[in-house]
Amino acid sequence: MSLERLANELLFDVFEYLSCVDLFHAFNELNCRFNSLLIEYFRHQTYFDFRFIFKEDLSMIRRRYLPLFINEIKSICLSDDDQTPHEIDIFISRLYPLHRFQNLQSISLFNIYSIEKINRILDDLQQIPYLINLNLKQCYIKYDPKNILIMMNNIWSLVNLMDCCLDVYFEDVCHLIPPNIISCSIKHLSLSSFQCDLDNLSLLHEHTPYIESLSVNIWDPYDTHCQLSLVPSLTTLKIKCESSSRIIQALLRKIPNLINLTVQTKKVPMDGHMWKEILNKYLLKLKLFNLKMEFETNGNDNIEQEMDRIIDSYRDHFWIDQHKWFVRCFSYAENDNSLIYLHTLPYVFEYFTMNINENFLFKSTCPTDNHYLTYNYVENLNYCCTTLEGINFSKIQFCNLQHLTLTFPYDDNFRCIVSQFKNLTYLEIIMVNLSQYDNDLQQLQIIFDQAPNLYRLKFHSWLSIPSKFENKNKKTSNQTVWTMPPFSSRSSSVRYLDLRGINQSGQSHYYNDQHCLSLIRSPLGSQCEFLRIEVEKRTNIIDLVNRMNHLRTLNVLCRDRKRNDDLVKWLQARLPSTCSFAKDSTSPNDIRLWIR
C-alpha cells in the first residue's frame, strides 16, 4: 500500500516515529501534498533537534519553513560537532537571531569551541522571556577567567532560568569562577566539569540561594576548609572528589535536608565505617545513597586482604539490615599497582570498566551472588581481557549498552555478560595481538551482525609489523608496515568512521594514496557519511571528497601542510563551492569540511 493513500491523520501518526531531521529529508519536495503536511505538522511541534541534519536540509528549513512556525518552537537543539560543523553559526544568523524565538523555553548547544561564541549566544538569550532550561554540552574552550566570569554572569542574569547544565571542558584544569549576580530562579545546576573548593561553593550558594539539585566536582588540594554556611534548600547532590575525605565531610555536614546523594571518588581513603558515621550524624533525611569508589594499592600489598578489609566495613547492621544498602567490590592488577573498585547496588552510573586478568577478584555483601546482576543503567562499557585462565565470577549482565570500548580478542566471559547488541550505536576497537588477527576479524564481524543500530566506529589502535626492507644500495633497514583497520568488514548500519588510530608505539597512521583507495572501495568506506582521518598528501583530501559519494563531513589532519590557512585556500580552489570549512580549536591543525 502506498503512503500517499493514507489519510492525513494517519500520516501524522507515522511522522511521530521520525525525528524532524529524518522527516524533512524523507518527505520534503516529494509533492505538494507532503510539503503542505510538513508545514502543518511542524506548526504543532514544539521540540526541534537539528543534530545530524544534511547541510542543504538545514538551509531549506531556515529559508522556507522556519518563518511559518518560529513562534511555536519551545525547545531547540544545535551542535557544532564533526557531523554538523559550524551548524550553530549557520542557523543563528542575522536573519534568525535567537531572540526571534520568543516562546523558546529550552535550548541545548553541543560542541562549541569558543567562549566568545558562548557569550554572544547568552547575550541574545537575555531577550527571551520564557527560557527555563539551558544546556551547554561537550563544549571545549580555552581557560579564560575574564570571559568565564562573563559567561557565568550572563547565565545567572537569565531571569526565569531554572535548570542549567554546564558541561564545559578546558585545555587546563578549570576551577569554578562563581558569578557575582544573584539568581533567584535557578534550582537545578550541573557543574561537574569544574573543580570547586568550599570557598567558591560557598559563593555559589550565596548567588544561587534557592538551589535544590547540584552536581559538582569538589576539590581542595590544600585540605583547608572555609566555614560553609548551611544549604537548607539542597535535597539532591552529586559529587566527584579526588582530594580528601575531609572536604566531603565538611560539605555534607552543611546539607541537613539532603534526600538523594550520589558520590564518586578516586584515591579517597574512606570505608564503610566512615560513611556510616557521616550518614548517621549529618544526613538523617537521606533516602537514596549511590556510591562509586576507586582505590589504588601498592603491587606488593596483599590485594585480597585489602579488598576484604574494605568490603567487610559494609557488612554491619546499618548497611545490611537497616538500609539494605549492599555493595560490590572487584579488583585487578594494572602495571605495578592494583586497583580496587567498590559501588553500591544497584549500580546507577552510566560508565563501567572491566579489566579481566589473572589477578581479577570479585566480591559482594549481597545475601546471594545472584542479586543485582543486571546493570541496566550502564550505557558505556570498557572491556579488556588479558589472561587465558578461566576467571569465575558472578555473571553480571549489560543489557542497554550504547557505547562499547572493546579490546580484541575477547574471551567467553564477554559474551556471557554482553549477550546482545541491539542498542549499541558506538563501538571503539583496540587490537593488540597480531597472532590472532584473523580471529579478531571473525569476532568483529559477529558483533557487526548482531548490532543493527551500530552507527559509529572508532579504531583506537591497530597492528604494525616490523619488517626488513632492502634499499637501492642493497642495504637492509628496519621499517614498520602497519595493518590497516578492518574496514573491509561489513555492517549495513555504520555511517561514522574514526580512523585516527595509533600503533603499539603510540604512532599515528597517515593514509597514503593506496590506503585511501582501499578505504574508498571498501564496504564501510562506500557507505561512510562522516569520516575522521589523517592523510599524507593534500590530494588525498580531494580524492576522499570526490570519490566517497555519501560523505557528508570530513575531519582531516594532513601531513602535507605548512599552515592550515594556506591548505584551506588550496582546497577551496579545487572543491565544490558548497563545501564549507571550520576549524576545531581543540585540535588546531585539523580541518573540518561540511560537504553536504
Side-chain angles (χ1 to χ4, degrees), residues 202 205-206 209 211 227-234 250-257 282:
S202 180
H205 174 237
E206 289 180 13
I211 189 167
Q227 291 299 315
L228 179 68
S229 59
L230 285 176
V231 190
S233 61
L234 197 61
L251 171 61
L252 295 181
R253 67 188 299 178
K254 297 296 184 178
I255 315 177
N257 296 317
Y282 306 120

Side-chain angles (χ1 to χ4, degrees), residues 121 156 296-297 300 351 434:
I121 292 171
W156 262 249
E296 186 175 312
T297 65
N300 296 323
Y351 180 79
L434 182 62

Side-chain angles (χ1 to χ4, degrees), residues 487-549:
F487 42 68
S488 58
S489 300
R490 295 180 180 273
S491 168
S492 60
S493 59
V494 170
R495 294 294 182 269
Y496 190 122
L497 289 179
D498 187 342
L499 305 180
R500 297 282 190 93
I502 58 175
N503 63 16
Q504 298 96 315
S505 301
Q507 299 171 323
S508 298
H509 296 303
Y510 287 86
Y511 279 62
N512 59 27
D513 292 342
Q514 180 181 352
H515 301 145
C516 288
L517 183 60
S518 297
L519 170 63
I520 292 168
R521 292 176 174 176
S522 70
L524 290 178
S526 64
Q527 65 191 40
C528 177
E529 297 182 2
F530 310 100
L531 177 64
R532 295 187 78 247
I533 194 172
E534 296 168 332
V535 297
E536 287 281 357
K537 299 186 299 185
R538 57 184 62 191
T539 54
N540 299 141
I541 302 176
I542 304 295
D543 289 339
L544 292 172
V545 172
N546 289 336
R547 301 184 65 178
M548 296 182 71
N549 295 328

Side-chain angles (χ1 to χ4, degrees), residues 192-209:
S192 55
S193 58
F194 293 85
Q195 290 191 345
C196 184
D197 59 28
L198 289 190
D199 290 314
N200 284 329
L201 196 58
S202 180
L203 290 173
L204 181 70
H205 174 237
E206 289 180 13
H207 295 91
T208 324

Side-chain angles (χ1 to χ4, degrees), residues 113 115 140-144 148 169-171 585:
Y113 303 110
I115 184 67
Y140 302 87
I141 60 179
K142 293 181 179 180
Y143 180 62
D144 182 345
I148 292 174
Y169 298 89
F170 303 87
E171 293 179 347
S585 64

Side-chain angles (χ1 to χ4, degrees), residues 7 11 127 146-147 273 407 417 488 526 538 566:
L11 286 172
Q127 303 179 54
K146 180 179 178 181
N147 274 315
H273 302 308
T407 300
I417 66 175
S488 58
S526 64
R538 57 184 62 191
D566 294 337

Side-chain angles (χ1 to χ4, degrees), residues 467-471 474-480:
S467 302
K468 290 187 177 181
F469 284 79
E470 190 175 274
N471 60 25
K474 305 297 182 179
K475 294 182 179 180
T476 59
S477 60
N478 292 325
Q479 296 187 26
T480 298

Side-chain angles (χ1 to χ4, degrees), residues 407-504:
T407 300
F408 287 78
Y410 54 76
D411 62 338
D412 292 338
N413 279 322
F414 173 73
R415 292 314 310 267
C416 292
I417 66 175
V418 184
S419 58
Q420 53 85 16
F421 303 94
K422 64 180 181 180
N423 296 320
L424 187 67
T425 60
Y426 187 5
L427 175 62
E428 302 189 48
I429 298 169
I430 302 172
M431 292 184 172
V432 296
N433 194 332
L434 182 62
S435 64
Q436 300 197 37
Y437 184 69
D438 290 339
N439 180 58
D440 292 350
L441 296 185
Q442 293 177 10
Q443 290 187 335
L444 178 60
Q445 189 61 56
I446 289 173
I447 294 179
F448 283 174
D449 293 341
Q450 298 179 12
N453 296 304
L454 183 62
Y455 182 79
R456 183 168 180 169
L457 194 59
K458 176 179 174 62
F459 293 93
H460 259 292
S461 64
W462 51 84
L463 307 168
S464 56
I465 309 169
S467 302
K468 290 187 177 181
F469 284 79
E470 190 175 274
N471 60 25
K472 295 180 180 180
N473 299 321
K474 305 297 182 179
K475 294 182 179 180
T476 59
S477 60
N478 292 325
Q479 296 187 26
T480 298
V481 177
W482 58 275
T483 303
M484 286 189 294
F487 42 68
S488 58
S489 300
R490 295 180 180 273
S491 168
S492 60
S493 59
V494 170
R495 294 294 182 269
Y496 190 122
L497 289 179
D498 187 342
L499 305 180
R500 297 282 190 93
I502 58 175
N503 63 16
Q504 298 96 315

